[in-house]
Amino acid sequence: MFAEINTFLNDLIWGNILIYLLPALGVFFTISSRFVQFRYFFKMFNILKGTVHDKDGHISSFQALMLSVSGRVGVGNIAGVAVAITLGGAGAVFWMWVIALVGMATSFFECSLAQLYKEKDGLDSCVYRGGPAYYATKGLGQRWLGIVISILILITFGLAFNATQSFVISTSFEASFNLPTWVSGIVLSIVFGITIFGGVRGIVKMSEVIVPIMALGYLLIALVVIALNLSEIPSLITMIVTEAFNPSSAIAGGIGAVILQGAKRGMFSNEAGLGSAPNVAAVAYVAHPVQQGIVQSFSVFIDTIILCSCTAFIILLSGVYTPGVTGVQGILLTQNALIEHIGPLGGYFITFALFLFGFSSMIYNYYLAENSLNFFSKGNITVFNIFRISCILLVVWGSFQDLSSIFAFADLTMGLLAIINMIVITLLYKPVLKLIKGYERQIKEGKTPVLRYNDYEEFNFEKEMWKEIVDNINDKKSKD
């Protein structure tokens, strides 16, 4: 009965509410901001330039971007895209792109809010905390809503998702190398434990190492596949666009199934609007909230437009995929496609990529949970350590337990989180528009934008904290 209720609620939330709510609000944010994600796309490179590390110990925009990408990019980029293509055909890729492009605006809004309403960490004055729980509490004055959001994040990411990620990684190694799941589970938990006991800085440093390796490695292997099939690329692009509006008769459900699968893949993969990424966006040390909004919208682009497309091209350029045939899907379809392109090495590469994608998601998930825990017990190191030990034990347990039912329940809690978060950022969209106007005004004045905190007296954010940030940045500029 529990499984049936859970399935019903999941179908209701994801198939009947979020499938329309997320794209619709993404379009609204895009239009109301005058297509901010496209207007400022290339400015992101200027923001990141020179901010790879902050010499005073703060977490930079680049480091926050890597932590964000570590979460957005995961197993879904390999398996989820394959499922979308299997059930929705090549045309699903087009709608996946569309969802990502409008989702970039949603991510911009929620991450700008996370920056505006962030606060100092209770243990480290150079680290910041923020996210949906914080901007719901401060922006709307509804602490009870912040508590609900924190509980949903804690359950979804800190407990359920990490245990299931451990299971996927350990079973993949067992299949490829005949390694017992408990062995890989213990090794995984040790590396995971070392990372999370390093605090936010340890998590950021690990992401900074893993993410470029996994993203560039996966992109490189996709470029190899494209180079081997270069003459077929124009016809492939044509097929994706054509199938988006006129799907093959072999695809059950017609154009509705194509749009649904593409939209679902885009939403699950890039997490725009789901309420997870803003927790990470808040940690960056920047002069203006809009700067991190721009950077985080680019994170959506990296995840879906670049890396999900890599998987799609690997599959569609192979002879493994047959429209309408659902016998082989998920990781196995991607793995078989890559083996066809580059030989047996492709299978091992997918296993290794799965490990990096899965592990990076695990440390990202843990950070989200820790950030939510901080909302309840700011600066309580004892509570944090107990929670860290619990998470490590869950990783070991998850390595040899099929937790698909728990994962399905986490899908439900994440869906509820997304609905609440989208309502909150819709109610707070005007502060973001005002931030954009202030940012653009300073650019027109020929100045490097900083948050003029006195211009936003009506908003309940930490003005003294922002004064300190802006003063420090201005002092650095004058010394330079």
Side-chain angles (χ1 to χ4, degrees), residues 39-82:
R39 289 191 292 118
Y40 286 116
F41 183 83
F42 292 104
K43 186 171 285 293
M44 181 276 309
F45 297 100
N46 293 328
I47 294 171
L48 290 177
K49 187 178 179 181
T51 66
V52 176
H53 293 281
D54 185 279
K55 54 190 174 185
D56 293 331
H58 296 288
I59 295 172
S60 69
S61 281
F62 175 79
Q63 291 172 316
L65 174 65
M66 291 299 99
L67 180 55
S68 176
V69 172
S70 74
R72 296 187 197 268
V73 177
V75 174
N77 291 76
I78 298 176
V81 175

Side-chain angles (χ1 to χ4, degrees), residues 408-465:
F409 177 70
D411 274 349
L412 173 60
T413 56
M414 183 168 67
L416 292 171
L417 171 65
I419 291 174
I420 294 171
N421 181 60
M422 291 300 287
I423 292 172
V424 171
I425 61 177
T426 301
L427 294 173
L428 293 173
Y429 87 99
K430 287 185 178 179
V432 180
L433 294 183
K434 190 166 183 179
L435 286 173
I436 294 173
K437 289 179 181 177
Y439 184 81
E440 292 176 343
R441 189 184 308 120
Q442 292 182 65
I443 290 178
K444 289 178 181 177
E445 293 171 356
K447 298 178 180 177
T448 302
V450 297
L451 182 67
R452 293 174 175 172
Y453 40 87
N454 290 327
D455 292 347
Y456 308 96
E457 289 293 335
E458 70 271 32
F459 304 142
N460 181 34
F461 64 98
E462 303 286 338
K463 295 179 179 63
E464 286 301 315
M465 179 198 71

Side-chain angles (χ1 to χ4, degrees), residues 12 22 91 110 125 178 184-185 205 320 359 404 419 462 468 470:
L12 175 65
L22 285 170
E110 62 180 350
S125 61
N178 202 27
S184 53
K205 287 178 181 178
V320 173
F359 183 73
S404 55
I419 291 174
E462 303 286 338
E468 181 183 324
V470 171

Side-chain angles (χ1 to χ4, degrees), residues 83-225:
V83 172
I85 291 174
T86 302
L87 300 179
V93 178
F94 174 85
W95 296 110
M96 180 182 71
W97 292 337
V98 171
I99 288 296
L101 292 175
V102 297
M104 288 171 69
T106 304
S107 186
F108 174 90
F109 271 71
E110 62 180 350
C111 293
S112 295
L113 285 171
Q115 268 289 321
L116 178 65
Y117 291 107
K118 69 183 180 182
E119 61 183 44
K120 280 189 176 182
D121 179 72
L123 297 173
D124 190 337
S125 61
C126 287
V127 173
Y128 301 94
R129 301 277 187 176
Y134 295 81
Y135 55 69
T137 299
K138 295 180 180 179
L140 296 179
Q142 303 295 326
R143 180 169 171 78
W144 69 269
L145 198 54
I147 292 172
V148 171
I149 290 170
S150 294
I151 292 173
L152 289 173
I153 292 176
L154 201 63
I155 293 172
T156 306
F157 295 94
L159 304 177
F161 280 2
N162 265 1
T164 50
Q165 288 280 8
S166 175
F167 179 77
V168 171
I169 293 171
S170 60
T171 51
S172 174
F173 270 87
E174 183 182 43
S176 296
F177 304 106
N178 202 27
L179 185 69
T181 55
W182 66 269
V183 174
S184 53
I186 290 175
V187 173
L188 188 62
S189 66
I190 291 172
V191 180
F192 178 71
I194 292 171
T195 302
I196 65 174
F197 268 99
V200 178
R201 295 179 191 280
I203 294 169
V204 167
K205 287 178 181 178
M206 181 63 80
S207 297
E208 198 176 17
V209 172
I210 290 179
V211 171
I213 293 174
M214 73 178 191
L216 292 176
Y218 200 60
L219 178 60
L220 180 62
I221 203 74
L223 290 175
V224 169
V225 171

